[in-house]
Amino acid sequence: MRAKSVYAVLNSLFSAEHEPVYDPPKRVRHKTLPVEFPTRKCVSGGIRCRSPLMADGVLHLDTDPDVVAISPYPLTADAWVEIEPGVEDRLHHFADVAAKRRDGSVVFLKYENFYMQEERPWHVSEARALADYYLEVFGCDFRVLNEASLHIEPRFSNLRQMWQHREVRSQSVDLDRVRDAIASLGHPVTIDDVWRYLGTPQHAVVWKGDVAPTVLPQSNPVFTAVMQLAMRGEVRLDLGKRLTMNSLILKV
């Protein structure tokens, strides 16, 4: 495939005109129950993940500031794979997602449960054949990920917590105010330091019939803002330690 056409194909995967090559069934009797995952990094506003493990994989991408776009079930690959010594079979394969990085590079990813890999002893040669195919045809990396790489703790729990504080229209957060506070205090500084510097702000709501607003102690706008800045790639957090108000905000 010519370089110009490869570039056009890869770009089309992340356009509004792209149609996924696979649509997970709405009803299945299997452990790989489909999961709806909302994300602004997909032009449709969400991805219908074919399994909970795939949703966990998309969570990693959605919170990764280096990933700018995600395309579900991007295209079909035709590769030959050795299913047993001396026996090859043609493989019609689709990756679960294609992820586009800030530098424009694209990586194709497949999410496969460890127990399913054990049931398919040829999965190693299959992954190798597909990696060769994606590199030769598109100049892109291809990876197969399972629980061992996706569920590392406390990183995975931290990413879940970050995602829970993602930007939503119903809850605006003053990112500029938190940015300015971090710049004034310098690095490294804890989230708690920034919160106290800004006067310990809290979210509050006014319920119907109430005169005064009710403070929500479990909701901290500064913590939320720092999580959003980290997902934007403007600050860095140590995901190898559990995220708390005492977590350090580091330079990128």
Side-chain angles (χ1 to χ4, degrees), residues 159-176:
L159 293 180
R160 277 184 166 173
Q161 186 175 20
M162 288 174 65
W163 191 80
Q164 290 170 352
H165 290 269
R166 68 195 183 281
E167 294 180 48
V168 292
R169 294 174 184 173
S170 61
Q171 185 180 14
S172 60
V173 177
D174 193 344
L175 294 181
D176 287 336

Side-chain angles (χ1 to χ4, degrees), residues 4-98:
K4 187 175 181 179
S5 60
V6 167
Y7 180 78
V9 169
L10 292 178
N11 273 347
S12 70
L13 300 179
F14 304 96
S15 70
E17 290 72 33
H18 173 67
E19 293 186 7
V21 298
Y22 176 70
D23 183 22
K26 291 182 172 55
R27 294 183 180 181
V28 290
R29 294 183 179 180
H30 200 274
K31 292 181 180 180
T32 56
L33 188 68
V35 178
E36 298 288 347
F37 191 102
T39 171
R40 293 184 178 183
K41 295 185 180 182
C42 179
V43 291
S44 65
I47 295 174
R48 185 169 174 77
C49 300
R50 64 180 179 84
S51 70
L53 185 69
M54 179 180 169
D56 293 342
V58 175
L59 173 71
H60 279 257
L61 301 177
D62 203 39
T63 54
D64 186 345
D66 190 45
V67 174
V68 297
I70 308 171
S71 174
Y73 317 112
L75 48 79
T76 302
D78 289 320
W80 289 93
V81 59
E82 187 177 54
I83 57 176
E84 58 182 77
V87 180
E88 289 189 338
D89 190 18
R90 191 168 188 174
L91 179 67
H92 300 284
H93 174 272
F94 60 86
D96 286 323
V97 296

Side-chain angles (χ1 to χ4, degrees), residues 218-237:
Q218 74 278 14
S219 178
N220 188 308
V222 172
F223 188 90
T224 297
V226 172
M227 298 299 108
Q228 292 181 10
L229 291 173
M231 286 185 281
R232 286 169 172 246
E234 297 184 34
V235 300
R236 183 168 58 87
L237 300 171

